[in-house]
Amino acid sequence: MQRMFKYFIFVFIITSCMMSISFADSKIAYFSRYPKDISIHISKPEISMKLILNDNSLESLEMKLDGTTVDAKYDDAREMVVYKPISSLSPGSHTVDLEVRITGWSNFLSQSWSFTVNENALNSFSLSTDEQNQALKYANNFRKSIGLPLLNINYSLNAASKAHTNYMILNSRTSHDELQSNKGYSGGTPSIRAQAYGYNGTTIAENVSSGFDDLNGALQAFISAPYHRLAWLNPYARDFGYYGQNGYHTLLFGSVIGGDDLVVTYPYNNQIDIPIRWENTETPNPLRNSPDDSIGYPITISYFSDKKATSIVVEKVTLKDHLGENIKIYSKGPKNDEYLTDSVIIIPAEPLKSDTKYSVSSTLTVYFEGGTKKEVRHSFSYRTKNEKKYVFEDINGHWAADVIDDLAQEKIVTAKDGNNFRPDVAITRGEFSLYISKMMGLNIRNFEGVFKDVTSSMSNSGYIEAAERYGILNGYEDGTFQPNKLMTRQEMAAVIKRTYEIKTRLTSDITDYNIRYKDNADISSWAISSVKLCSKLGIINGREDGNFDPYHSTTRAEAVVMIDRLMTAIER
């Protein structure tokens, strides 16, 4: 049964409407006072106001915090008046008064605002966890492949992500909004939560999901879901925060204002290995007004500019296969989708063909604030992945998929449960007895009851007894076989050596063969000759760190690859 997941996407604007004050023919602009009219969860917040001077010069500035003058500075690079308290602010309400004088102007700019420090405010942020760093690496590898600027971990966004993930866990609720009446409330919207934890960037985009225990699986699902993907594609994004627990995940992307005009697509031009289909479980559903039971992988085209776009009109968009045939698509843009502002979503009406080149061509008209417009033409192509139909449902994309499938076709390996192979689960003695007996083509007799813990009702009992009868896997002194015990790498080597000698009718002479693993001394004396033979034949190799790792268990995928290599060695 297919697992169902929830995804949500929404972009929240932190920036307040820009305000300007005019003196003579020159202008300054100010906005984004922080923190303002919110309850914050940090005790030493950066207090700031964005102030764009243009060609003017700052004569003086004075900031008062709760009536006391503080040492505020103007940051030229950030174009911002900034003050960071040295000591923690007390819980409760605080007031900021700011007066700015511009050289040559008789008037001055005066602003006042207030905020509240939460009684449970943090004195400092925690360092990023390994999982947060892993999420950042994943995001940056994705952006690097497209040619977008890399992101930086932001502790404020990490903290806001953690707070919201905990809220979703406490309330068993997957959403962007938080209700003040619920447990773990930290702010009603992503923008408020980001500000509450000290983030004062320009925009915030949030991805949330539930149902994924695997981090990479959750991140890949975000990229596959077209609304969510748009946050990952923003070239102006610079800051990143993440937190996941109990299958719940929150990602935050912080952006700066604008930049060069840029068209960003996904798939990007000449990208390969794109899935042929997409399981549409995104909320909101991008095909809420169209059939969506069997569709192709979504395509997105985004137009980014430092000029404010009021609308984007899709004049023409086509998707063609390698023969130039048009593919039926669903096209979503700002005109017919209230969740889109600067992007277009194209979804093939049916799954695409495996290992096939597709071309996208689009003509968009972008309308800007002030009445100007621009025609944007863009074309690109990509290739779908080779979606081989495997015997087992859960091995597609696995490093050992082809080998597992080949041995499954030969009726040597079987499923773990249902139609799943579970390639990364450790293999048991009973399972390996089944596989090695099938590979050897051993004669299977009626149940004889050789072992105390192997019963006639067990599906692999005949293969276990056959493996024992041929001297491939032995039982224990207490009369048990322990079919559910995991097999170590040196035990696997011993079984493979016996099998090789039986099938080739050769006694392996490996006296002069030296193994050079860092942990040679850890290999049991009874397993040394087996490890030597398996190493010499290339059936079992050492780990990347130079160790053989004799006592570590072996996954089902690793075991299948060993059997495949053993079969090759026997045939030489």
Side-chain angles (χ1 to χ4, degrees), residues 43-47 65 70-71 83-89 123:
S43 61
K44 291 187 284 187
E46 181 182 77
I47 300 170
L65 177 60
V70 295
D71 187 24
Y83 170 68
K84 182 72 177 286
I86 298 174
S87 303
S88 297
L89 301 181
N123 289 322

Side-chain angles (χ1 to χ4, degrees), residues 139-288:
N140 278 337
N141 284 340
F142 173 79
R143 289 174 66 88
K144 184 178 180 180
S145 68
I146 304 174
L148 297 178
L150 302 187
L151 304 169
N152 299 300
I153 278 285
N154 184 279
Y155 292 147
S156 294
L157 297 185
N158 271 353
S161 297
K162 181 176 182 179
H164 189 56
T165 296
N166 288 335
Y167 171 88
M168 292 192 292
I169 293 171
L170 288 171
N171 297 283
S172 300
R173 173 187 171 91
T174 312
S175 67
H176 290 295
D177 63 295
E178 291 188 9
L179 302 178
Q180 197 162 2
S181 57
N182 284 346
K183 294 177 288 186
Y185 175 82
S186 60
T189 66
S191 60
I192 290 175
R193 292 190 293 273
Q195 292 181 79
Y197 281 97
Y199 188 74
N200 60 354
T202 307
T203 62
I204 284 290
E206 181 182 76
N207 286 184
V208 297
S209 71
S210 61
F212 277 102
D213 293 325
D214 173 60
L215 171 61
N216 286 351
L219 300 180
Q220 181 56 58
F222 284 138
I223 293 171
S224 296
Y227 288 128
H228 288 67
R229 180 194 302 163
L230 300 178
W232 296 67
L233 297 175
N234 186 348
Y236 311 139
R238 294 294 185 272
D239 301 314
F240 179 83
Y242 164 78
Y243 191 80
Q245 188 175 345
N246 296 354
Y248 287 86
H249 303 266
T250 302
L251 273 77
L252 287 172
F253 297 84
S255 305
V256 297
I257 295 178
D260 296 334
D261 290 9
L262 188 64
V263 176
V264 181
T265 70
Y266 193 84
Y268 54 83
N269 190 35
N270 295 324
Q271 189 171 356
I272 61 174
D273 291 336
I274 295 301
I276 65 172
R277 63 176 57 82
W278 177 53
E279 296 177 0
N280 181 4
T281 55
E282 186 172 29
T283 301
N285 175 8
L287 293 179
R288 47 199 172 278

Side-chain angles (χ1 to χ4, degrees), residues 30-36 44-51 58-75 78-86 89 94-101 108-115 200:
Y30 61 94
F31 53 107
S32 295
R33 291 160 290 176
Y34 174 82
K36 181 179 182 294
K44 291 187 284 187
E46 181 182 77
I47 300 170
S48 64
M49 185 183 78
K50 186 74 172 180
L51 179 63
L58 187 67
E59 181 177 305
S60 66
L61 65 85
E62 181 181 47
M63 178 184 288
K64 291 183 178 180
L65 177 60
D66 299 327
T68 301
T69 300
V70 295
D71 187 24
K73 304 290 186 184
Y74 184 74
D75 188 326
R78 298 167 65 190
E79 296 186 303
M80 186 178 290
V81 176
V82 179
Y83 170 68
K84 182 72 177 286
I86 298 174
L89 301 181
H94 296 270
T95 301
V96 181
D97 297 293
L98 177 64
E99 183 177 293
V100 176
R101 291 186 178 275
F108 59 86
L109 170 64
S110 179
Q111 288 289 300
S112 296
W113 67 93
S114 61
F115 61 91
N200 60 354

Side-chain angles (χ1 to χ4, degrees), residues 489-490 493 510-542 546-550:
R489 285 166 57 82
Q490 64 180 6
I510 50 173
T511 306
D512 296 332
Y513 186 79
N514 294 320
I515 52 175
R516 295 183 174 84
Y517 300 115
K518 292 180 181 178
D519 57 352
N520 275 358
D522 296 334
I523 301 172
S524 300
S525 57
W526 56 264
I528 286 291
S529 62
S530 299
V531 172
K532 283 185 174 182
L533 177 66
C534 289
S535 299
K536 181 179 180 180
L537 296 176
I539 296 173
I540 306 179
N541 299 316
N547 291 311
F548 182 77
D549 207 5

Side-chain angles (χ1 to χ4, degrees), residues 377-450:
R377 296 176 182 267
H378 197 77
S379 298
F380 60 99
S381 61
Y382 63 91
R383 180 175 289 276
T384 54
K385 68 170 56 176
N386 186 357
E387 295 272 359
K388 179 180 177 180
K389 182 66 176 178
Y390 291 109
V391 172
F392 303 116
E393 293 180 356
D394 64 339
I395 63 172
N396 190 19
H398 193 275
W399 63 270
D402 288 339
V403 178
I404 294 170
D405 195 67
D406 288 345
L407 268 64
Q409 299 282 1
E410 296 182 41
K411 309 299 183 185
I412 293 174
V413 302
T414 58
K416 177 76 172 176
D417 58 77
N419 198 33
N420 294 310
F421 185 74
R422 307 300 182 195
D424 297 319
V425 173
I427 197 166
T428 65
R429 285 167 53 82
E431 291 168 340
F432 196 64
S433 297
L434 172 66
Y435 295 166
I436 205 74
S437 296
K438 281 177 171 285
M439 186 274 287
M440 293 185 69
L442 300 184
N443 180 36
I444 307 302
R445 299 176 183 174
N446 292 331
F447 181 73
E448 298 175 340
V450 175

